């Protein structure tokens, strides 16, 4: 997948996400979709980067922080895409998201789906 051509909220989002992807060196769709969301806003990334490594994302420590509703909904989506958490509520998320958050959410879902398909195809070959 060409990560240069996907939607980014801003230049910092792109920079932080691509830095993590370059270090991860694998095609793990769950990590990539979570990284994408966690790096999407300065407020989210500054609070979550200390709980995010190449080997682990500690959502227990992340979700209990005081985030704005739109950011909390994005983080819960990241957790759901990462580990199939049942905490994500789509109706509540849609009520809280502005256009920016909605665009980030859609791109994260597309990443998870596309990369999972690529991994499956590589495995079958």
């Amino acid at each position: 997948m060409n990560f240069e051509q996907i939607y980014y909220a801003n230049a910092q989002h792109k920079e932080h996400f691509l830095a993590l992807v370059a270090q991860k060196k694998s095609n793990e769709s769950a990590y990539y979709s979570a990284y994408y969301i966690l790096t999407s806003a300065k407020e989210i990334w500054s609070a979550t980067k200390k709980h995010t490594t190449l080997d682990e994302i500690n959502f227990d420590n992340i979700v209990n922080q005081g985030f704005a509703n739109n950011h909390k909904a994005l983080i819960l989506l990241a957790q759901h895409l990462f580990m199939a958490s049942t905490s994500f509520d789509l109706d509540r998320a849609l009520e809280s998201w502005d256009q920016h958050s909605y665009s980030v959410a859609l791109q994260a879902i597309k990443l998870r789906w596309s990369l999972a398909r690529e991994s499956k195809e590589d495995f079958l070959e």
Side-chain angles (χ1 to χ4, degrees):
M1 170 167 258
N2 184 349
F3 295 117
E4 292 289 334
Q5 297 179 351
I6 64 174
Y7 169 82
Y8 290 100
N10 54 47
Q12 285 182 322
H13 180 204
K14 183 176 183 177
E15 177 185 336
H16 294 305
F17 176 72
L18 292 178
L20 283 170
V21 168
Q23 292 174 44
K24 187 68 176 163
K25 305 236 189 264
S26 68
N27 189 9
E28 298 179 57
S29 61
Y31 273 97
Y32 285 12
S33 57
Y35 289 159
Y36 178 83
I37 290 173
L38 296 179
T39 59
S40 67
K42 179 182 173 185
E43 299 82 5
I44 297 174
W45 185 234
S46 63
T48 62
K49 64 183 170 186
K50 63 184 167 220
H51 305 293
T52 305
T53 68
L54 296 178
D55 299 318
E56 178 184 15
I57 300 173
N58 190 334
F59 280 102
D60 290 336
N61 289 339
I62 292 172
V63 296
N64 293 325
Q65 298 183 46
F67 291 101
N69 288 341
N70 63 326
H71 290 162
K72 175 84 172 215
L74 281 173
I75 292 165
L76 290 173
L77 174 60
Q79 182 183 33
H80 181 73
L81 293 171
F82 184 72
M83 55 198 260
S85 163
T86 58
S87 301
F88 179 69
D89 181 335
L90 181 59
D91 289 331
R92 184 171 285 173
L94 290 171
E95 289 174 9
S96 72
W97 286 338
D98 55 13
Q99 183 62 49
H100 158 75
S101 299
Y102 178 72
S103 296
V104 167
L106 285 180
Q107 184 62 68
I109 293 166
K110 288 177 188 177
L111 274 175
R112 180 75 165 87
W113 184 84
S114 298
L115 292 171
R117 295 296 176 269
E118 286 178 15
S119 292
K120 185 177 179 181
E121 289 170 9
D122 289 345
F123 177 76
L124 294 175
E125 288 178 355

